[in-house]
Amino acid sequence: MTTDTHDISTQIQLVSRPIGWPTAEDFRTVQIALGPLQPGEIRVRNEFVSVDPYMRGRMNDARSYVAPYELGETILGGAVGRVVASAAADVPVGAAVLHQRGWADVVQGDAATFRVVPDLPGVPLSLRLHILGMTGLTAYAGLTRIAAMQPGDTVFVSGAAGSVGTAVGQIARLLGAGRVVGSAGTPEKVALLTEKYGFDAAFNYRDGEVSALLAAAAPDGIDVFFDNVGGDHLGAALDAFRDGGRAALCGAISSYNASEPVPGPANLANIITRALRLEGFTIGQHLDLAPEFQGRMAEWMAAGKIVFDETIVDGIEHTVDAFLDMLRGANTGKMLVRVGA
Amino acid sequence: MTTDTHDISTQIQLVSRPIGWPTAEDFRTVQIALGPLQPGEIRVRNEFVSVDPYMRGRMNDARSYVAPYELGETILGGAVGRVVASAAADVPVGAAVLHQRGWADVVQGDAATFRVVPDLPGVPLSLRLHILGMTGLTAYAGLTRIAAMQPGDTVFVSGAAGSVGTAVGQIARLLGAGRVVGSAGTPEKVALLTEKYGFDAAFNYRDGEVSALLAAAAPDGIDVFFDNVGGDHLGAALDAFRDGGRAALCGAISSYNASEPVPGPANLANIITRALRLEGFTIGQHLDLAPEFQGRMAEWMAAGKIVFDETIVDGIEHTVDAFLDMLRGANTGKMLVRVGA
């Protein structure tokens, strides 16, 4: 066989569960010879592979809505590619497909486990992994269903320069938020938030006590908190909440790599005295919102109302580096691995 | 005038904001000469005065749904008594009335600020201050509206031998809970929970790590947490929650008298991974549920399905002692002050 048949798959697997920050030694790269397609199967060459914060959680052996990764198995996650061989009548070669087979350059399996997505004019395939995909849906579900955002609300987004955060800020504005405030970890990201993403105010959470920084950025308090960071950000939000405030807890990237348990904020009693609601969510429980979201997002994009950033790393062999860089905050917007030729 | 006219009111006022545990020196007892009734006013001799955990919070100068007590003013709160003089056409002498004028033996004011309650056969007036009043409504609103309890749920109640806790346990059972588990602070209270109040399991939270004690009492996990205590109990519930669990955060008696901020639990990330919802509430926001609650509770009581305890301290002059004893957990069921002759 030749490489043109894409019958060798390079895949990245978890070999040990990281304690604290993951290292390259927690992973291995394997090459797997793909067998002939069985009836109903397709072979897909990935174009983009996603690296996401939630994957760090799956590397632990902890109970969660999403099962832990198995040791010695390929890291599962979002990816988008094109069909290079098909034994499924309804999925032609060349079709774009979205799937959850993760960190690999070529994958194959039952066509029913892939979702064919239309090629939209002017819409790169990579957007299916963020603003038009789970990232955008996460922002939308968190704001509308979990936090029950109302027009006029002041919305605070932590980790706002990430792919979910930039979507949250823009969607909040489009849904009528009165004020949108974000935090990020570098001056460049903070500038992007107000200059590119339309946030009313933004701050660098490394500049001081988050609670004081938030109080300055949202002097009249906040109604909604969309949390991607956890830790000090939650305590700051609890200080800033107006009565009846709602938090959509989406991520806690600040604690994912902690090797010791990190105590929670000391002001949890505000939940009672201000009648606050904190709700965690994982997007898998809210996929029923996808049609509604995709309809609205397609309209917003067509009207030129949505901007986004991608940080692209080339080469499947650099996936672990991309993942670690993302955990450290090196990306602006969505961090993606482009599989390459 | 003679004392028969009840024109001298003995009242207890806050004179300094306690740091940590309140002491007798934070209060003073005053005697106030009541002026003649103005048109529309009534004078009421209290029979029972309520001392409640939330009052400790109002002694701090902190933002809350409920305003802080003013220094030099009488401690406001629930009380029930009978009209001894009336200048209001629709409120006769002898009527039983419920009000919020608090720690006093005699009060007077606009009849519209009192609520006339019917004398129910076999129902002591004191019940208007707990199982038939705000205490019962708090239990009902927290279970049904805040925690959205479903039949079959496992319900965990902290501080379960208190007046709210005993109501929560019984109402949860009547609403179809699959398993009801409670914590309390003495062996006697723990025994009462299973022997009198129908809890399936109960533990003494001083017997060890709350998380381990709860895991033993609810080995299959919990769906609903009704929290009166805060602190370690919240962390234990977060460990025990099944996916989609809901917490109604009603009180945090463990932290009311802390002079230093107490860090929150280290397992808040479970809120995300298990898609939990934590919601705080103050009963004042849910008074619209009162008619529904009173109808159901009256039926349950008539059917003999509700039991309760009262710990009664005699004499308005012992109100501060009763309040401090309640904060220390000396009461079983509702702590009340009986005003006396």
Side-chain angles (χ1 to χ4, degrees), chain B residues 42-320:
Chain B
I42 57 176
R43 181 173 295 172
V44 172
R45 192 184 155 282
N46 283 336
E47 296 200 0
F48 293 95
V49 166
S50 190
V51 293
D52 296 281
Y54 80 88
M55 293 175 155
R56 176 62 188 86
R58 294 190 69 181
M59 293 172 189
N60 297 332
D61 188 18
R63 200 182 100 190
S64 172
Y65 258 119
V66 189
Y69 290 128
E70 299 284 343
L71 291 182
E73 298 288 338
T74 299
I75 301 278
L76 303 178
V80 67
R82 287 195 187 274
V83 178
V84 290
S86 176
D90 52 345
V91 185
V93 168
V97 293
L98 197 60
H99 62 89
Q100 285 292 320
R101 288 166 185 267
W103 293 3
D105 59 351
V106 185
V107 295
Q108 76 181 35
D110 185 344
T113 63
F114 295 78
R115 188 158 72 83
V116 177
V117 292
D119 275 303
L120 300 178
V123 175
L125 218 47
S126 61
L127 271 57
R128 296 288 181 180
L129 293 180
H130 53 107
I131 192 74
L132 269 177
M134 286 297 162
T135 301
L137 180 60
T138 298
Y140 185 79
L143 278 174
T144 61
R145 178 174 284 174
I146 308 295
M149 197 208 99
Q150 303 299 314
D153 277 354
T154 293
V155 175
F156 170 50
V157 191
S158 66
S163 58
V164 171
T166 52
V168 171
Q170 295 179 85
I171 294 174
R173 169 66 18 89
L174 289 164
L175 295 176
R179 184 172 175 81
V180 181
V181 175
S183 73
T186 70
E188 296 73 24
K189 290 181 182 180
V190 169
L192 264 186
L193 290 179
T194 51
E195 290 164 14
K196 178 169 183 178
Y197 287 106
F199 283 68
D200 297 292
F203 61 85
N204 183 340
Y205 57 76
R206 302 182 207 269
D207 277 353
E209 206 194 2
V210 179
S211 200
L213 296 165
L214 176 57
D220 297 326
I222 65 172
D223 303 292
V224 166
F225 174 41
F226 193 109
D227 192 16
N228 297 300
V229 175
D232 292 348
H233 276 82
L234 178 58
L238 290 174
D239 273 345
F241 265 127
R242 291 199 272 246
D243 293 345
R246 288 91 56 206
L249 306 183
C250 177
I253 199 166
S254 71
S255 68
Y256 289 166
N257 296 303
S259 46
E260 304 267 318
V262 180
N267 56 355
L268 291 174
N270 289 2
I271 300 174
I272 302 173
T273 55
R274 301 183 191 177
L276 307 178
R277 189 177 75 208
L278 275 59
E279 187 165 350
F281 73 111
T282 302
I283 196 56
Q285 312 305 310
H286 303 283
L287 299 181
D288 59 297
L289 275 179
E292 174 186 322
F293 159 72
Q294 282 158 355
R296 299 186 83 164
M297 181 52 75
E299 274 182 39
W300 289 328
M301 292 192 78
K305 291 181 173 167
I306 295 282
V307 293
F308 56 87
D309 281 294
E310 294 177 338
T311 301
I312 291 180
V313 170
D314 275 301
I316 190 73
E317 67 276 19
H318 294 126
T319 305
V320 170

Side-chain angles (χ1 to χ4, degrees), chain A residues 23-102:
Chain A
T23 65
E25 287 66 45
D26 294 318
F27 305 91
R28 70 176 174 202
T29 301
V30 298
Q31 295 207 311
I32 294 173
L34 300 173
L37 287 181
Q38 302 300 309
E41 289 191 334
I42 57 175
R43 181 172 295 171
V44 171
R45 191 183 156 284
N46 283 336
E47 296 199 1
F48 294 94
V49 166
S50 189
V51 293
D52 296 281
Y54 80 88
M55 293 175 155
R56 177 62 189 85
R58 294 189 70 180
M59 292 172 188
N60 297 333
D61 188 19
R63 201 182 100 191
S64 172
Y65 257 118
V66 188
Y69 290 127
E70 300 284 345
L71 291 181
E73 298 289 339
T74 299
I75 300 279
L76 302 177
V80 66
R82 288 195 187 274
V83 178
V84 290
S86 177
D90 53 344
V91 184
V93 168
V97 294
L98 197 61
H99 63 89
Q100 285 291 321
R101 288 165 185 267

Side-chain angles (χ1 to χ4, degrees), chain A residues 226-282:
Chain A
F226 192 110
D227 193 15
N228 297 300
V229 174
D232 293 347
H233 277 83
L234 179 58
L238 290 174
D239 274 343
F241 265 128
R242 290 199 273 247
D243 293 346
R246 289 90 58 206
L249 306 183
C250 177
I253 200 166
S254 71
S255 68
Y256 289 164
N257 296 302
S259 45
E260 305 266 318
V262 180
N267 56 353
L268 290 174
N270 290 1
I271 300 174
I272 303 173
T273 54
R274 301 184 191 175
L276 307 178
R277 189 176 76 207
L278 274 59
E279 187 164 350
F281 73 110
T282 302

